[in-house]
Amino acid sequence: MISVTINGERRQFDTPLNCAELIDRLELAGKRVALERNGEIVPRSRHANERLTDGDRLEIVVAVGGG
Amino acid sequence: MKPHENLDPLVIAGKSYNSRLLIGTGKYQDFAETRAAVEASGAEIVTVAIRRTNIGQNKGEPSLLDFLPPSKYTLLPNTAGCYTADDAVRTLRLARELLDGHELVKLEVLGDPKTLYPNVVDTLAAARTLVKDGFKVMVYTSDDPIIAKQLEDIGCVAVMPLASLIGSGMGILNPWNLQIIIENARAPVIVDAGVGTASDATVAMELGCDGVLMNTAVAAARNPVLMATAMDKAVAAGRAAFLAGRMPKKLYSAAPSSPTTGIIAPSGSK
């Protein structure tokens, strides 16, 4: 069981998973998002390689209206 | 010369744009209105904000980029809401990842949430980091000519001083400072923030600004789409007037526009 913080919310997963699997679980697959893990960008090309570890802080962002 | 070749494009970081109006995408009723206003404005550079996505709460929520595709517009991700250099840099690194390596960005580091006045100390620090990291930085700042120059010297591709505070619609409060900034600058100077109505945009362009960036003036108008067309014309009119060179102001001239000879005989003369 690992516990991570995603966009400020605590989430728990009972099996280990990588960033691509996380995006899948969050139903964000195929959407244009960017992911930061513990303050560092995880490029899309590395999503399947980066395994989440307990205590990770993740930010997942999109483009929204703004001036 | 090609028939529709623009002899006076706005050039930012080596790329030419026909429109000198840059437009924000916040505060519209919905994405359809956003798109209609952006289209009516003729703007080619469109700012967007970077925010946390909702994680599973609202599936199938429409996405801004479906309405404003990156293939059609130059998206300018901003750092609105950032109060430190660090947060601004992180936000733009996320933006670059989000937009497939896109390097043109709008940096703004704010000082406080009440006035949204720029924090120039952190703006300078963030600009240094971002330029070193390969970003092409268009930077929002105060109308301080010394800071504007320092930002240009760091390597920012456009300096964007405020006309007045973000969202205030107060127009150009210090045309004299803007004039000094324009006089000193080699990079394009774009007035960003404070424009309230079409004449404000025209005044900015008449001063010699290279462009105007606005959001609230359009989005908060009673009819945003109509205001977007007004802004398009206002910016173009101001630019043309600047290039044409205005006549000098005189208190009076005693030089009427019609001929002074050949006037018919005054009534009652013999």
Side-chain angles (χ1 to χ4, degrees), chain A residues 6-9 11 27-28 31-36 41-44 59-67, chain B residues 24-26 47-53 55 57 59 64-65 78 90 93-94 97-100 106 108 215:
Chain A
I6 308 167
N7 291 354
E9 280 181 38
R11 291 287 177 109
E27 301 184 57
L28 295 171
K31 300 215 165 149
R32 193 185 272 271
V33 296
L35 194 152
E36 183 198 65
I41 300 292
V42 183
R44 223 163 291 156
E59 296 284 349
I60 306 177
V61 300
V62 292
V64 302
Chain B
T25 55
T47 67
V48 298
I50 303 299
R51 289 290 179 274
R52 285 171 164 176
T53 180
I55 43 177
Q57 300 95 327
K59 276 174 254 165
L64 175 66
L65 300 189
N78 70 24
R90 281 176 57 209
R93 285 181 176 148
L94 278 163
E97 166 65 15
L98 186 72
L99 299 173
D100 308 318
K106 171 179 163 179
E108 59 181 294
N215 190 151

Side-chain angles (χ1 to χ4, degrees), chain B residues 2-260:
Chain B
K2 292 169 209 135
H4 296 296
E5 194 177 353
N6 183 353
L7 296 178
D8 179 38
L10 170 64
V11 180
I12 295 172
K15 194 174 167 198
S16 293
Y17 301 91
N18 288 315
S19 174
R20 291 175 176 272
L21 174 58
L22 293 74
I23 202 162
T25 55
K27 303 184 187 170
Y28 289 95
Q29 265 175 21
D30 51 36
F31 289 149
E33 188 184 65
T34 311
R35 175 168 59 194
V38 169
E39 274 175 7
S41 76
E44 297 159 272
I45 302 178
V46 174
T47 67
V48 298
I50 303 299
R51 289 290 179 274
R52 285 171 164 176
T53 180
N54 71 59
I55 43 177
Q57 300 95 327
N58 287 315
K59 276 174 254 165
E61 202 180 31
S63 148
L64 175 66
L65 300 189
D66 295 338
F67 289 77
L68 299 172
S71 53
K72 189 169 171 194
Y73 295 100
T74 296
L75 296 181
L76 190 64
N78 70 24
T79 60
C82 291
Y83 291 89
T84 66
D86 249 20
D87 288 349
V89 169
R90 281 176 57 209
T91 298
L92 291 178
R93 285 181 176 148
L94 278 163
R96 179 166 62 184
E97 166 65 15
L98 186 72
L99 299 173
D100 308 318
H102 176 93
E103 289 170 335
L104 190 70
V105 294
K106 171 179 163 179
L107 170 65
E108 59 181 294
V109 186
L110 303 176
D112 73 57
K114 181 178 169 187
T115 65
L116 306 178
Y117 200 84
N119 171 344
V120 295
V121 174
D122 274 44
T123 301
L124 286 161
R128 278 189 205 99
T129 306
L130 290 166
V131 168
K132 221 176 278 173
D133 200 7
F135 285 93
K136 296 179 171 120
V137 181
M138 301 176 69
V139 60
Y140 172 64
T141 183
S142 65
D143 60 6
D144 179 331
I146 305 303
I147 299 294
K149 194 69 201 160
Q150 288 179 357
L151 288 165
E152 184 183 313
D153 290 343
I154 286 169
C156 292
V157 298
V159 177
M160 306 202 291
L162 51 76
S164 47
L165 296 177
I166 293 175
S168 71
M170 293 282 281
I172 297 171
L173 299 187
N174 196 336
W176 314 110
N177 271 25
L178 283 181
Q179 216 164 309
I180 297 170
I181 291 172
I182 292 161
E183 223 175 271
N184 290 344
R186 290 181 313 274
V189 175
I190 291 169
V191 156
D192 181 0
V195 163
T197 187
S199 53
D200 295 336
T202 304
V203 170
M205 296 307 293
E206 285 173 343
L207 283 169
C209 288
D210 296 279
V212 179
L213 197 165
M214 64 180 74
N215 190 151
T216 313
V218 174
R222 205 169 54 238
N223 182 336
V225 176
L226 187 56
M227 186 58 90
T229 64
M231 290 301 185
D232 180 26
K233 292 170 184 165
V235 167
R239 178 63 180 177
F242 169 72
L243 293 175
R246 62 153 297 148
M247 63 163 284
K249 283 183 187 175
K250 285 171 276 188
L251 187 54
Y252 50 82
S253 79
S257 299
S258 303
T260 53

